[in-house]
Amino acid sequence: MAIDPRNPDATYLSFWREYHLCTLTTLRADGSPHVVPVGVTWEPAAGIARIITNKASRKVANILAGGPEGARVAVCQVATRRWATLEGRAVVRREPELIADAVRRYAERYERTPAFNPDRVLIEISVDRALGRG
């Protein structure tokens, strides 16, 4: 079911605030999907989903391969019969203040602050499509 990504209903938004691990799907150079578990935070009003990760990860390399415009990605979470997917264009951000904000949001959703990582980057997804069933 299609959801307005800038104005999701309360049930859908609540699902994205619960503790759930997600998957991120990026595309490899050969077009095959690369799917990995991640923690995701989503700010519908800004249209942004955020993932913190290591700069040397395959998911970062796949996004960087998309060039300055970034790459199309999808993040998804599932809990029994409920599921939610956010799609959009991802870019890699290195600004310390944006990474710190993403870490704060991660700590809020996942109830733990990740250890300091000098190689941490932010995957920022401009969400343009949301799907799911609450």
Side-chain angles (χ1 to χ4, degrees):
M1 169 193 332
I3 309 288
D4 180 351
R6 292 290 188 121
N7 189 26
D9 65 47
T11 302
Y12 192 80
L13 185 55
S14 175
F15 186 43
W16 275 103
R17 290 184 174 150
E18 295 171 9
Y19 186 115
H20 296 287
L21 288 179
C22 304
T23 60
L24 169 68
T25 302
T26 61
L27 296 178
R28 297 181 183 99
D30 68 1
S32 63
H34 176 258
V35 183
V36 293
V38 293
V40 176
T41 62
W42 179 37
E43 184 183 3
I48 296 173
R50 295 172 180 88
I51 299 165
I52 54 175
T53 190
N54 192 293
K55 68 182 181 183
S57 68
R58 169 51 47 198
K59 57 189 163 285
V60 166
N62 290 345
I63 292 166
L64 291 174
E69 299 290 317
R72 291 288 301 176
V73 302
V75 291
C76 184
Q77 64 182 24
V78 177
T80 60
R81 294 179 182 205
R82 298 182 303 158
W83 64 274
T85 299
L86 303 174
E87 298 177 16
R89 187 154 300 278
V91 294
V92 177
R93 306 292 299 259
R94 292 179 171 81
E95 298 93 324
E97 67 279 5
L98 296 179
I99 294 169
D101 179 60
V103 167
R104 180 190 59 77
R105 291 171 187 274
Y106 177 97
E108 186 177 295
R109 181 176 187 193
Y110 292 101
E111 300 174 351
R112 79 170 191 84
T113 301
F116 174 73
N117 176 355
D119 293 328
R120 180 172 288 137
V121 294
L122 165 62
I123 295 173
E124 187 178 84
I125 304 165
S126 296
V127 177
D128 58 23
R129 183 179 297 157
L131 305 165
R133 178 187 298 169

